[in-house]
Amino acid sequence: MKNLTALKQPLLVSAWFMFLTFPLMVIRVNTIENVVEWRWRNMIWVGTASFLLTFLWRYLSDRREAARKEAERTEDHEQTLGRFLAGRPEVGRYLSVGAMILALIFPFVFSTYQTNIMATALMYAVLGLGLNIVVGQAGLLNLGYVAFYAAGAYSYALLNHHFGIGFWTALPVGAVVGALFGILLGFPVLRLRGDYLAIVTLGFGEITRLVLENWNDFSFGPSGISNIPRPGFFGIALDIRGATIYLYFLVLLLCLATVFIVNRLQNSRIGRAWIAIREDETASQAMGIDGTKTKLTAFALGAFWAGMVGVIFAAKTTFINPASFTFLESAMILSIVVLGGIGSIPGIITAALFLILVPEYLRAFSNYRMLIFGSVMVLMMLFRPQGIVAGARRTYTFRRRKSGPELERG
Amino acid sequence: MSMEPVLQVRGLTMTFGGLRALDNVDLHVEREEIVALVGPNGAGKTTFFNCITGIYPPASGDIFLAPPGGKRRRINGLKMHTVTEHGMARTFQNIHIFPAMTVLENVMVGRHCRTSSGLLGAVLRGAGTLREEEGIVNKSYEILETVGLDASVNELAINLPYGAQRRLEIARAVATDPFLLLLDEPAAGMNPQETKELEGLIRQIRNGKKISILLIEHDMKLVMSISDRLCVMDYGEKIAEGTPAEIRGNPIVIEAYLGEDPDA
Ligand SMILES: Nc1ncnc2c1ncn2[C@@H]1O[C@H](COP(=O)(O)OP(=O)(O)OP(=O)(O)O)[C@@H](O)[C@H]1O
Ligand SMILES: [Mg+2]
């Protein structure tokens, strides 16, 4: 009897789906022979698939509910991956050394094409880590992150086009332009909270793209800017493979530097202030944190990274146009942060690799890319809202001393 | 050296639309004094805190803050974080901890306005930053010992029981090195045992750290035993002021509470 009720809902759902998709999936008018084709087999597919999916869905959510009840009953602390790693630093160390070795030999083992994709994935990892400062740490939902990325890319492209400025000069300039854009936008909008901030930044991102698309005299419109030089290597001309490997290592270096910096910021005075603002803005201000200044710092720092990666992007593709900076990019970077686990560095890198590499290697499914992408996001939100690796807070141990407590180092 | 009050509020008025939530309220707190602000629900006590800490701009009135031995300053219109910097810290009626931070980190945030390392310091981690950071950790731990939370430093604040969260909020406020501490119903939701411990804690903060205290509290037993002086508010007005003994027998106060027995 119980099993019957468990089947009832999936059956109803599948019937409903078969009905909904009937005109689309079953009926086809063959305009050449002027006959109506009835593709009943499609209907069976839709019915079976929706039935199985609904069933699986129910099964998973029931299990999750049961697990939660069990955890509540035994008051067992949830063993998250983040906590597991925090408790065993040696595991994390082996993993990162392994990943490092893999990253170092990667371009020599794999083809130019694959090295190129890997460089892209690492670029997104850096973007994710940058946006994580804004969204993950300071809790400012920024949906227009791509605008700062574009600011960096166009800084390099235009400076090079008009003044012949090279990559290495443009890199810091692009980063600073990004940060300035961040401050410019941040000043008026950071008093907004939550949804309002999200909408304004979303608008800002779109406006930036539209300006780039329509201001022909400035940005060369939709046709974009081409022949952007790759980064120079001590004046030596590199072939395509050499240039790709060089860029790969450049991005890898930037990624490592970003990890180092973000990691240090996380457990610093400023990092704590960001989290405090995210957790409770009123309380954080009552504790003496200047909300405006601290939020602006996070916003500008995130934009700084976006600007820097923008310059690298321009140098990597040697061609940019506004189509590279759509809302989809912002959504992609945000997904990396959410999927990876807000505030978790290894999680964000994993998510970036996953989200960039999987679609590349599953070309066959490229038509369903957005569909799969969307379902993965929904499933994550339902079953693992803390992300792949949940961020764990730093713990401290104290030694008792006669003169008072003392922090144990190490 | 004259003993200037650490907090001096004159003619504070605050309106919400047509509602006069505060009507010409005068109040002062002397150095190392424990003053209680009491009154029925909706009397305007929390609004008074919100006005003097910069959450709401008062319609009129003057607020002066004077650190012991320091210069008196008018703090009207200052932002909340600046008020805290000047030495007045507070807790909230409805708990406002940072849930996803550890207990220790919550208190460490309180040290923010007394420390200075910035972005560059955080990234480079020079000797100065490390020393400052160690100072923050040790001082925060000491404060947690005072409030009896040193056993749960690494726990997430959200996992603490209710009474402990209230004490954590006090610890966090103390970490800002205030000379005046505002407590909004610190005993709310505590059992008699916890309330008794809280009383000891408040005394310890006043005596040990020489911090003056202004507290809002409905628990009359606690208020009567701990306060040096009481201010009674009703409908946004201060209706009485005096020592616990004076207030206990004041007919106006009994009238305001109407059925609520101040001795209860
Ligand atoms: N932000 C606000 N907007 C409008 N009215 C408010 C606001 N804050 C408080 N009030 C009103 O001001 C009056 C005083 O409220 P307040 O919170 O200061 O009371 P209280 O004395 O702290 O009461 P309690 O003992 O219940 O905490 C109430 O009538 C309340 O509804
Ligand atoms: Mg109140």
Side-chain angles (χ1 to χ4, degrees):
Chain A
M1 207 54 226
K2 201 173 158 233
N3 287 341
L4 261 177
T5 40
L7 288 177
K8 208 173 109 192
Q9 201 206 6
L11 273 175
L12 282 174
V13 169
S14 82
W16 178 239
F17 263 84
M18 285 191 280
F19 172 71
L20 275 183
T21 55
F22 182 79
L24 258 134
M25 302 293 286
V26 180
I27 306 171
R28 179 161 67 185
V29 181
N30 190 328
T31 44
I32 298 167
E33 293 172 21
N34 270 332
V35 288
V36 177
E37 293 174 12
W38 300 90
R39 298 173 297 169
W40 295 111
R41 190 175 290 166
N42 278 353
M43 189 163 177
I44 297 169
W45 279 125
V46 168
T48 326
S50 50
F51 175 80
L52 287 178
L53 275 177
T54 318
F55 191 76
L56 186 74
W57 175 274
R58 278 193 56 132
Y59 173 73
L60 284 176
S61 40
D62 282 355
R63 242 189 41 175
R64 194 172 63 122
E65 193 62 21
R68 224 197 52 211
K69 285 222 178 87
E70 177 70 18
E72 249 167 40
R73 199 172 56 77
T74 56
E75 280 194 33
D76 193 15
H77 284 293
E78 192 192 358
Q79 175 78 351
T80 66
L81 195 52
R83 251 187 236 149
F84 173 80
L85 289 177
R88 287 170 197 70
E90 72 279 1
V91 176
R93 219 167 294 147
Y94 289 142
L95 275 178
S96 29
V97 168
M100 202 52 236
I101 292 171
L102 195 70
L104 282 176
I105 59 168
F106 190 90
F108 305 108
V109 177
F110 292 94
S111 68
T112 308
Y113 169 72
Q114 269 152 350
T115 309
N116 201 19
I117 293 171
M118 199 57 173
T120 308
L122 287 176
M123 247 168 55
Y124 275 92
V126 176
L127 285 171
L129 290 169
L131 184 62
N132 178 51
I133 297 174
V134 187
V135 180
Q137 313 250 36
L140 307 165
L141 188 48
N142 181 354
L143 293 181
Y145 196 56
V146 75
F148 311 123
Y149 184 45
Y154 270 88
S155 300
Y156 177 39
L158 289 172
L159 283 175
N160 183 271
H161 182 88
H162 294 297
F163 310 106
I165 284 177
F167 173 81
W168 289 107
T169 321
L171 193 63
V173 172
V176 169
V177 169
L180 286 179
F181 259 70
I183 293 171
L184 210 71
L185 173 69
F187 254 121
V189 308
L190 282 181
R191 67 188 70 240
L192 303 172
R193 291 186 192 197
D195 307 350
Y196 299 103
L197 180 67
I199 290 165
V200 173
T201 49
L202 174 74
F204 177 75
E206 282 302 285
I207 289 169
T208 308
R209 187 179 58 81
L210 287 173
V211 167
L212 290 174
E213 215 152 77
N214 293 300
W215 193 1
N216 284 319
D217 298 335
F218 171 73
S219 63
F220 303 98
S223 55
I225 304 166
S226 52
N227 286 328
I228 304 166
R230 292 202 169 84
F233 185 64
F234 306 111
I236 305 167
L238 294 166
D239 60 351
I240 289 282
R241 179 160 171 78
T244 307
I245 293 178
Y246 179 47
L247 238 152
Y248 170 84
F249 279 111
L250 214 104
V251 178
L252 185 63
L253 199 73
L254 178 67
C255 191
L256 289 177
T258 310
V259 168
F260 175 80
I261 291 173
V262 169
N263 185 41
R264 286 211 153 172
L265 285 176
Q266 233 167 26
N267 289 303
S268 70
R269 173 174 172 268
I270 300 284
R272 284 190 299 269
W274 286 334
I275 299 172
I277 286 182
R278 178 192 78 194
E279 294 287 292
D280 193 317
E281 192 161 351
T282 311
S284 71
Q285 285 167 356
M287 287 305 107
I289 292 171
D290 183 344
T292 318
K293 204 173 105 190
T294 311
K295 284 199 276 186
L296 205 59
T297 315
F299 213 68
L301 202 66
F304 181 88
W305 253 276
M308 198 148 56
V309 181
V311 173
I312 297 183
F313 172 75
K316 182 167 171 290
T317 55
T318 70
F319 164 74
I320 56 166
N321 70 353
S324 311
F325 307 104
T326 57
F327 169 68
L328 222 57
E329 287 300 304
S330 293
M332 188 73 172
I333 304 164
L334 189 67
S335 313
I336 288 171
V337 176
V338 173
L339 202 62
I342 279 176
S344 149
I345 296 172
I348 287 169
I349 295 175
T350 316
L353 296 182
F354 178 78
L355 284 185
I356 305 299
L357 298 183
V358 167
E360 287 297 336
Y361 291 112
L362 297 179
R363 282 273 167 199
F365 298 101
S366 59
N367 281 342
Y368 306 101
R369 202 165 149 161
M370 288 326 279
L371 196 71
I372 296 171
F373 193 68
S375 350
V376 167
M377 288 308 281
V378 171
L379 287 175
M380 277 300 284
M381 286 299 100
L382 275 164
F383 296 107
R384 212 174 153 74
Q386 70 273 45
I388 298 171
V389 184
R393 298 305 310 160
R394 178 169 169 197
T395 56
Y396 297 81
T397 38
F398 293 88
R399 202 168 37 216
R400 306 261 22 164
R401 273 278 193 88
K402 274 205 206 80
S403 58
E406 190 178 301
L407 176 66
E408 222 162 78
R409 291 170 202 270
Chain B
M1 169 83 222
S2 73
M3 288 288 256
E4 208 174 357
V6 289
L7 174 73
Q8 174 96 58
V9 178
R10 286 205 204 107
L12 196 68
T13 301
M14 175 75 203
T15 52
F16 292 114
L19 177 77
R20 251 177 133 72
L22 291 175
D23 193 357
N24 221 359
V25 177
D26 294 333
L27 188 146
H28 70 280
V29 179
E30 301 288 344
R31 200 191 283 191
E32 286 171 48
E33 193 182 21
I34 297 180
V35 179
L37 187 57
V38 298
N41 291 115
K45 307 177 297 290
T46 300
T47 306
F48 180 83
F49 272 21
N50 288 345
C51 277
I52 63 174
T53 54
I55 292 187
Y56 302 140
S60 64
D62 295 305
I63 310 154
F64 295 102
L65 212 52
K71 250 191 75 186
R72 193 172 85 152
R73 231 197 225 105
R74 187 166 181 271
I75 58 163
N76 288 50
L78 290 188
K79 285 204 180 136
M80 232 192 298
H81 68 94
T82 325
V83 172
T84 308
E85 252 169 56
H86 284 328
M88 178 159 70
R90 70 172 290 180
T91 66
F92 294 87
Q93 180 173 353
N94 39 350
I95 291 181
H96 273 272
I97 48 164
F98 305 124
M101 298 176 96
T102 64
V103 169
L104 185 69
E105 283 177 320
N106 263 269
V107 183
M108 286 166 79
V109 169
R111 296 299 298 155
H112 185 93
C113 60
R114 301 292 170 227
T115 46
S116 61
S117 72
L119 280 181
L120 217 56
V123 173
L124 300 177
R125 263 195 209 163
T129 311
L130 282 178
R131 213 174 315 118
E132 186 182 273
E133 191 72 11
E134 200 175 323
I136 294 176
V137 174
N138 285 337
K139 172 115 194 188
S140 305
Y141 186 78
E142 262 176 58
I143 297 171
L144 282 172
E145 277 185 322
T146 317
V147 303
L149 285 175
D150 48 316
S152 27
V153 278
N154 289 322
E155 249 181 82
L156 289 187
I158 185 79
N159 293 338
L160 288 184
Y162 191 81
Q165 291 188 358
R166 285 221 170 270
R167 276 181 291 146
L168 175 59
E169 239 193 89
I170 296 176
R172 197 179 60 179
V174 168
T176 66
D177 277 348
F179 58 83
L180 173 62
L181 182 59
L182 311 181
L183 304 173
D184 198 342
E185 303 197 16
M190 284 190 175
N191 61 35
Q193 175 61 29
E194 286 176 313
T195 308
K196 234 179 120 203
E197 284 166 14
L198 176 75
E199 186 178 337
L201 174 62
I202 296 176
R203 283 225 166 80
Q204 196 184 345
I205 290 172
R206 192 262 305 262
N207 300 339
K209 298 187 185 292
K210 311 284 179 218
I211 297 174
S212 317
I213 286 163
L214 174 61
L215 83 157
I216 297 173
E217 190 47 70
H218 283 296
D219 185 329
M220 278 304 157
K221 196 162 150 262
L222 172 66
V223 166
M224 289 299 177
S225 85
I226 203 174
S227 331
D228 301 314
R229 193 154 48 83
L230 271 81
C231 287
V232 189
M233 281 182 69
D234 196 14
Y235 292 112
E237 284 181 74
K238 188 169 88 176
I239 56 168
E241 184 174 351
T243 61
E246 288 165 0
I247 294 296
R248 207 186 294 267
N250 189 328
I252 303 171
V253 177
I254 297 167
E255 164 80 39
Y257 272 92
L258 208 70
E260 281 186 55
D261 181 3
D263 280 315

